[in-house]
Amino acid sequence: MAEERELVLNNGHTMPLLGLGVWRAEPHLLRDLISHALRLGYRHFDCAADYKNEAEVGEALSEAFHQGLVKREDVFITTKLWNSDHGHVREACKDSLKKLQLEYLDLYLVHFPVAIRHTGVGTTASVLDKDGMLDIDVTISLETTWHAMEDLVSEGLVRSIGISNYDIFLTRDCLAYSKIKPAVNQIETHPYFQRDSLVKFCQKHGVAVTAHTPLGGGLANIEWFGSSSALDDPVIQDLAQKYKKTPAQIALRWGIQRNTIVIPKSSKLQRLEENAGIFDFQLSKEDMLCIKAIDRKLRTNQPEKFWGIDLYA
């Protein structure tokens, strides 16, 4: 069954519905991982300055371009502005471009809606104050940061700009003060944390939604945050048997059918291949409703563990 594998953004650029997230990907494995992903058909890679592996991603992409495996225009590269660089947007973007060995980014996101103490471009530190709480910089507004992001588009360094981890209120504000509307809001959403109101709000106003942690984080978030995975839910397990697919494929397919972009992370080659196998089947309306019913409003990614402050409170 042939199916569209890209989504048209509000500025006319297209973005692949499936991407490979490289959060917590071990740098020494990235060369082979990205090469294998490209051979499997992945054309979208989700990076961030804070992942501290942009240089390794850049080396892998440069090698792929040199070998003729893909051309630059064939791939969609996202990276993100870290919290400590809100007052240094252009410098941070140029730093990421240098590490990624690229002349432009397809998408540049504000990683979190908070500016914190600057510690040097690209250092991506999260400095805590004397009380052990994130040292938030109250002199830089999100509006100021956004207008600096817009300048990157005018300069040709970035094709699309967007936001990440923004709720409805912050997204609404960004839409109000922006000259260039955010093309994407990247948020945590998966069967246990569906966030229908936020997803529908964004889509209603032309902001595409990328689902980070689309599998609920798996072992990584169980290990770090003690969360539980929707992949173990009996509904997902039963649907996997019904469609002869893996639980992960069911969760990712659900995400695609919500018109969200999914960026699962995996360093295992078999999982990488399985995660790409989501375009040859379709969940019925009834089964989509079955998944809708298992929402637990369970956020699995909890940065407060490291920041000493709950930004979502």
Coordinates of all heavy atoms in Angstrom, one line a residue, residues 142-182:
L142 N 11.1 34.9 25.5 CA 11.0 33.9 24.5 C 10.7 34.7 23.1 O 11.1 34.2 22.1 CB 9.8 33.0 24.8 CG 10.1 32.0 25.9 CD1 8.9 31.1 26.2 CD2 11.3 31.1 25.6
E143 N 10.1 35.8 23.2 CA 9.8 36.6 22.0 C 11.1 37.1 21.4 O 11.4 37.0 20.2 CB 8.9 37.8 22.3 CG 8.6 38.7 21.1 CD 7.6 39.8 21.4 OE1 7.1 39.8 22.5 OE2 7.4 40.6 20.5
T144 N 12.1 37.6 22.3 CA 13.4 38.0 21.8 C 14.1 36.8 21.1 O 14.7 37.0 20.1 CB 14.2 38.5 23.0 OG1 13.5 39.7 23.5 CG2 15.6 38.9 22.5
T145 N 14.1 35.7 21.8 CA 14.7 34.5 21.2 C 14.1 34.2 19.9 O 14.8 33.8 18.9 CB 14.5 33.3 22.2 OG1 15.2 33.6 23.4 CG2 15.1 32.0 21.6
W146 N 12.8 34.2 19.8 CA 12.1 33.9 18.5 C 12.5 34.8 17.4 O 12.8 34.4 16.2 CB 10.6 33.8 18.7 CG 10.0 33.3 17.4 CD1 9.3 34.0 16.5 CD2 10.0 31.9 16.9 NE1 8.9 33.2 15.4 CE2 9.3 31.9 15.7 CE3 10.6 30.8 17.5 CZ2 9.2 30.7 15.0 CZ3 10.4 29.6 16.7 CH2 9.8 29.6 15.5
H147 N 12.6 36.1 17.6 CA 12.9 37.0 16.6 C 14.4 36.8 16.1 O 14.7 36.9 14.9 CB 12.7 38.5 17.0 CG 11.3 38.8 17.2 ND1 10.3 38.4 16.3 CD2 10.7 39.6 18.2 CE1 9.1 38.9 16.7 NE2 9.3 39.6 17.9
A148 N 15.2 36.3 17.0 CA 16.6 35.9 16.6 C 16.6 34.7 15.7 O 17.4 34.5 14.8 CB 17.5 35.7 17.8
M149 N 15.7 33.8 16.0 CA 15.5 32.6 15.2 C 15.0 33.0 13.8 O 15.5 32.4 12.8 CB 14.4 31.6 15.8 CG 14.8 31.1 17.2 SD 16.0 29.7 17.1 CE 14.9 28.4 16.5
E150 N 14.1 33.9 13.7 CA 13.6 34.4 12.4 C 14.7 35.0 11.6 O 14.8 34.8 10.3 CB 12.5 35.5 12.6 CG 11.2 34.9 13.3 CD 10.2 36.0 13.6 OE1 10.6 37.1 14.0 OE2 9.0 35.7 13.5
D151 N 15.7 35.6 12.2 CA 16.8 36.2 11.5 C 17.6 35.1 10.8 O 18.2 35.4 9.7 CB 17.7 37.0 12.4 CG 17.0 38.3 12.9 OD1 16.1 38.8 12.3 OD2 17.5 38.9 13.9
L152 N 17.7 33.9 11.4 CA 18.4 32.8 10.8 C 17.8 32.4 9.4 O 18.5 32.0 8.5 CB 18.4 31.6 11.7 CG 19.0 31.8 13.1 CD1 18.9 30.5 13.9 CD2 20.5 32.2 13.0
V153 N 16.5 32.5 9.3 CA 15.8 32.2 8.1 C 16.2 33.2 7.0 O 16.5 32.9 5.9 CB 14.3 32.1 8.3 CG1 13.6 31.8 6.9 CG2 13.9 31.0 9.3
S154 N 16.1 34.5 7.4 CA 16.4 35.6 6.5 C 17.8 35.5 6.0 O 18.1 35.8 4.9 CB 16.2 36.9 7.2 OG 14.9 37.1 7.7
E155 N 18.7 35.0 6.9 CA 20.2 34.9 6.5 C 20.5 33.6 5.7 O 21.6 33.5 5.2 CB 21.0 34.9 7.8 CG 22.4 35.2 7.6 CD 23.2 35.3 8.9 OE1 22.5 35.5 10.0 OE2 24.4 35.2 8.9
G156 N 19.5 32.7 5.6 CA 19.7 31.5 4.8 C 20.4 30.4 5.6 O 20.8 29.4 5.0
L157 N 20.6 30.5 6.9 CA 21.2 29.5 7.7 C 20.2 28.3 8.0 O 20.7 27.2 8.2 CB 21.8 30.1 9.0 CG 22.9 31.1 8.8 CD1 23.2 31.7 10.2 CD2 24.1 30.5 8.1
V158 N 19.0 28.7 8.0 CA 17.9 27.7 8.4 C 16.7 27.9 7.4 O 16.4 29.0 7.1 CB 17.5 28.0 9.8 CG1 16.3 27.1 10.3 CG2 18.6 27.9 10.8
R159 N 16.1 26.7 7.1 CA 15.0 26.8 6.2 C 13.7 26.9 6.9 O 12.8 27.6 6.5 CB 14.9 25.5 5.3 CG 16.0 25.5 4.2 CD 15.9 24.5 3.2 NE 16.8 24.7 2.1 CZ 16.9 23.9 1.1 NH1 16.2 22.7 1.0 NH2 17.8 24.1 0.1
S160 N 13.6 26.2 8.1 CA 12.4 26.3 8.9 C 12.8 26.4 10.3 O 13.8 25.9 10.8 CB 11.5 25.0 8.7 OG 11.1 24.8 7.4
I161 N 11.9 27.1 11.1 CA 12.2 27.2 12.5 C 11.0 26.8 13.3 O 9.8 26.8 12.8 CB 12.5 28.7 12.9 CG1 11.5 29.7 12.4 CG2 13.9 29.0 12.5 CD1 11.7 31.1 12.8
G162 N 11.2 26.3 14.5 CA 10.1 25.8 15.3 C 10.4 25.8 16.8 O 11.4 26.4 17.2
I163 N 9.5 25.2 17.5 CA 9.6 25.3 19.0 C 9.5 23.8 19.5 O 9.2 22.9 18.7 CB 8.4 26.1 19.6 CG1 7.0 25.6 19.0 CG2 8.6 27.6 19.3 CD1 5.8 26.4 19.4
S164 N 9.8 23.7 20.7 CA 9.8 22.3 21.3 C 9.5 22.4 22.8 O 9.9 23.3 23.5 CB 11.2 21.7 21.2 OG 11.3 20.4 21.6
N165 N 8.6 21.5 23.2 CA 8.2 21.4 24.6 C 7.4 22.6 25.0 O 7.4 23.1 26.2 CB 9.4 21.2 25.5 CG 10.1 19.9 25.2 OD1 9.5 18.8 25.3 ND2 11.4 20.0 24.9
Y166 N 6.7 23.2 24.0 CA 5.8 24.4 24.3 C 4.4 23.9 24.5 O 3.9 23.0 23.8 CB 5.7 25.3 23.1 CG 6.9 26.3 23.0 CD1 8.2 26.0 23.2 CD2 6.6 27.7 22.7 CE1 9.2 26.9 23.1 CE2 7.6 28.6 22.6 CZ 8.9 28.2 22.8 OH 9.9 29.2 22.7
D167 N 3.7 24.4 25.5 CA 2.3 24.1 25.8 C 1.4 24.9 24.9 O 1.8 25.7 24.1 CB 1.9 24.2 27.2 CG 2.1 25.6 27.8 OD1 2.2 26.6 27.0 OD2 2.1 25.7 29.0
I168 N 0.1 24.8 25.1 CA -0.9 25.6 24.3 C -0.6 27.1 24.5 O -0.6 27.9 23.5 CB -2.3 25.2 24.6 CG1 -2.7 23.9 24.0 CG2 -3.3 26.3 24.0 CD1 -4.1 23.4 24.4
F169 N -0.5 27.6 25.7 CA -0.3 29.0 26.0 C 0.9 29.6 25.3 O 0.9 30.6 24.7 CB -0.3 29.2 27.5 CG -1.5 28.8 28.2 CD1 -1.4 27.7 29.2 CD2 -2.8 29.3 28.0 CE1 -2.5 27.3 29.9 CE2 -3.9 28.9 28.7 CZ -3.8 27.8 29.6
L170 N 2.0 28.9 25.5 CA 3.3 29.4 24.9 C 3.2 29.3 23.4 O 3.8 30.2 22.7 CB 4.4 28.6 25.4 CG 4.8 28.8 26.9 CD1 5.8 27.8 27.4 CD2 5.2 30.2 27.2
T171 N 2.6 28.3 22.8 CA 2.5 28.2 21.4 C 1.6 29.3 20.8 O 1.9 29.9 19.8 CB 1.8 26.8 21.0 OG1 2.7 25.8 21.5 CG2 1.7 26.7 19.5
R172 N 0.5 29.6 21.5 CA -0.4 30.7 21.2 C 0.4 32.0 21.2 O 0.3 32.8 20.2 CB -1.6 30.8 22.1 CG -2.6 31.8 21.7 CD -3.2 32.6 22.8 NE -2.3 33.6 23.3 CZ -2.2 34.8 22.9 NH1 -3.0 35.2 21.9 NH2 -1.3 35.7 23.4
D173 N 1.2 32.3 22.2 CA 2.0 33.5 22.3 C 2.9 33.6 21.1 O 3.1 34.6 20.5 CB 2.8 33.5 23.6 CG 1.9 34.1 24.7 OD1 0.7 34.4 24.5 OD2 2.5 34.2 25.8
C174 N 3.6 32.5 20.8 CA 4.6 32.5 19.7 C 3.9 32.8 18.3 O 4.4 33.5 17.5 CB 5.3 31.1 19.6 SG 6.7 31.1 18.4
L175 N 2.7 32.2 18.2 CA 1.9 32.5 16.9 C 1.6 34.0 16.9 O 1.5 34.6 15.8 CB 0.7 31.7 16.9 CG 0.8 30.2 16.6 CD1 -0.4 29.4 16.9 CD2 1.3 30.0 15.1
A176 N 1.3 34.6 18.0 CA 0.9 36.0 18.1 C 2.1 37.0 17.8 O 1.9 38.0 17.1 CB 0.3 36.4 19.5
Y177 N 3.3 36.7 18.3 CA 4.4 37.7 18.2 C 5.3 37.3 17.0 O 6.2 38.1 16.7 CB 5.2 37.8 19.5 CG 5.8 36.6 20.1 CD1 6.8 35.8 19.4 CD2 5.5 36.2 21.4 CE1 7.3 34.7 20.0 CE2 6.0 35.1 22.0 CZ 7.0 34.4 21.3 OH 7.5 33.3 21.9
S178 N 5.1 36.2 16.4 CA 6.0 35.8 15.3 C 5.7 36.5 14.0 O 4.6 36.7 13.6 CB 5.9 34.3 15.1 OG 4.6 33.9 14.7
K179 N 6.8 36.8 13.2 CA 6.7 37.2 11.8 C 6.7 36.0 11.0 O 6.0 35.9 10.0 CB 7.8 38.2 11.5 CG 7.8 39.5 12.3 CD 9.0 40.3 12.0 CE 9.1 41.6 12.9 NZ 10.4 42.3 12.8
I180 N 7.6 35.1 11.3 CA 7.6 33.7 10.7 C 7.0 32.8 11.7 O 7.6 32.6 12.8 CB 9.1 33.3 10.3 CG1 9.7 34.4 9.4 CG2 9.1 31.9 9.7 CD1 11.2 34.1 9.1
K181 N 5.9 32.1 11.3 CA 5.2 31.2 12.2 C 6.1 30.0 12.5 O 6.8 29.5 11.6 CB 3.9 30.8 11.6 CG 2.9 31.9 11.3 CD 2.6 32.8 12.5 CE 1.6 33.9 12.1 NZ 1.5 34.8 13.3
P182 N 6.0 29.4 13.7 CA 6.7 28.2 13.9 C 6.2 27.1 13.0 O 4.9 26.9 12.9 CB 6.4 27.9 15.4 CG 5.2 28.6 15.7 CD 5.2 29.9 14.8

